[in-house]
Amino acid sequence: MSDSPLPYAGIRVVEFTHMVMGPTCGMLLADLGAEVIKVEPIEGDNTRRLLGSGAGFFPTFNRNKKSIALDLKQPGGVEAALRLIATADIVSENFKPGTMQKLGLDYETLKKLNPRLIYVSHKGFLPGPYDHRTALDEVVQMMGGLAYMTGRSGDPLRAGTSVNDIMGGMFGAIGAMAALRQRELTGKGAEVQSALFENNVLLVAQHMMQFAATGKAADPMPSRISAWAVYDVFTVKDGEQIFLAAVSDKQWAIFCKAFGLEDMQADPRLKSNNDRVRARDWMMPILRSHLAGYSAAELSAVFEKNELPFAPITKPQELFDDPHLNATGGLAPIRMNDGHMAKVPLLPFTLDGERPGIRLQPPTLGEHTNALLKEVGYSDDEIAALKTQHITTGD
């Protein structure tokens, strides 16, 4: 990044978060310049030890943060946390309802100590009849209509990434940004609440409103009637697959000319996009047969030359070598849990032409414990005593 200050430089965030939703909120604020202090249990965030689909969680969502390890089950750990919070602009948490209250770290308690504090809670549900339930991304996808829309009819399927966790954290960060602006106007802090279920409902709002507008329920995406006639995955030479689209009458004409399909372009049954949508049952087999002899690379070249929409079917691991991402600086070096270096996607926007980058690698457990405790008034002897009592650990 340039020497220009990042927009949230000077803002301190103390986060009590784990997994994806809460850490995403802190990552966004940290990438934008905030000092984000991650309070971890003595044994460390469980995300550090996850395998399988969770193996990349910690390095993905905990860059640009500092780490302090505290045992919040001991009064000394809570006292250290309160001293840190006294220096903070924002507190962020994503524990089960009631957990922070038991620790005396809930918003109602903390706002009495600092009326300017902004407190962000990430939960499964906003307050209401469901707020006692334990939620996961998959839970709210199932109950919120997204799994129904993603899978085939009768076969609900969760989306292929943690969409609600990530977006829930994003909305937590947006709420924190709004509360910071509100504080400038009123001098007072605020409580921000973000939730998985309500986030999921926003994602399917277009399908809800389709029903409101037409009186017809939305079909699951694999069996839907597309709004566009050519808008599909084609299997072509050597079994490769590619997504191809022609979503307007102009694009249809260009597509037909590019592939020698003038007869289809002239067919009155295929004159408009809506005509072609109604003709898909007999039109698409003709197009599939006509394109089957091309390779995916050949089709890509023709579609790109003619400015038609297309996409290779890419696996996540193949994105590390994507020429666009690498040429534009969209991937940055990141330290993984075992210490080796990899690359991670940055935030998908630029500020004055630059992507907010990585200033701090994901912290080791308690990497900043000593410095942060000294900053809030602990002496070397007191820090040593906290470590002897297993209230804290780290460097």
Side-chain angles (χ1 to χ4, degrees), residues 42-216:
I42 293 294
E43 65 276 11
D45 185 337
N46 283 335
T47 314
R48 293 180 179 274
R49 297 179 289 276
L50 290 179
L51 302 176
S53 61
F57 283 0
F58 191 85
T60 301
F61 302 109
N62 290 286
R63 63 193 186 220
N64 288 328
K65 299 180 184 180
K66 298 178 179 179
S67 169
I68 182 172
L70 295 174
D71 183 358
L72 298 178
K73 296 177 182 178
Q74 298 194 55
V78 173
E79 170 61 25
L82 285 169
R83 290 203 202 181
L84 276 176
I85 290 169
T87 70
D89 298 281
I90 299 170
V91 167
S92 176
E93 62 89 16
N94 69 327
F95 285 98
K96 290 182 179 180
T99 299
M100 297 299 279
Q101 185 175 16
K102 290 178 183 178
L103 295 171
L105 300 176
D106 58 299
Y107 177 62
E108 291 301 318
T109 299
L110 295 179
K111 75 174 182 179
K112 296 174 184 176
L113 304 176
N114 178 9
R116 289 177 55 82
L117 184 68
I118 293 162
Y119 193 98
V120 186
S121 287
H122 302 86
K123 295 291 186 278
F125 306 90
L126 292 180
Y130 296 160
D131 62 13
H132 65 285
R133 296 185 185 180
T134 299
L136 300 167
D137 205 313
E138 198 146 345
V139 168
V140 300
Q141 287 193 40
M142 294 292 172
M143 66 184 294
L146 183 57
Y148 172 83
M149 290 303 301
T150 304
R152 295 182 296 272
S153 182
D155 186 20
L157 179 68
R158 70 157 285 164
T161 189
S162 303
V163 287
N164 292 295
D165 280 313
I166 294 170
M167 286 189 62
M170 287 172 56
F171 280 112
I174 292 169
M177 295 171 187
L180 284 170
R181 173 57 180 153
Q182 186 178 60
R183 189 176 73 175
E184 291 178 3
L185 300 173
T186 66
K188 296 180 180 180
E191 183 179 19
V192 175
Q193 297 177 319
S194 178
L196 294 174
F197 178 61
E198 282 76 7
N199 180 83
N200 187 94
V201 172
L202 178 63
L203 288 174
V204 300
Q206 65 195 76
H207 305 306
M208 296 169 63
M209 301 313 290
Q210 176 186 335
F211 179 78
T214 68
K216 296 180 180 179

Side-chain angles (χ1 to χ4, degrees), residues 244-263:
L244 304 173
V247 298
S248 68
D249 294 340
K250 180 179 179 180
Q251 288 184 359
W252 169 250
I254 294 171
F255 168 76
C256 288
K257 182 177 180 181
F259 290 99
L261 294 169
E262 287 82 0
D263 288 347

Side-chain angles (χ1 to χ4, degrees), residues 38-43 67-71 365-366 369 391-394:
K38 184 178 182 68
V39 179
E40 299 190 58
I42 293 294
E43 65 276 11
S67 169
I68 182 172
L70 295 174
D71 183 358
L365 174 61
T369 292
I391 292 173
T392 190
T393 189

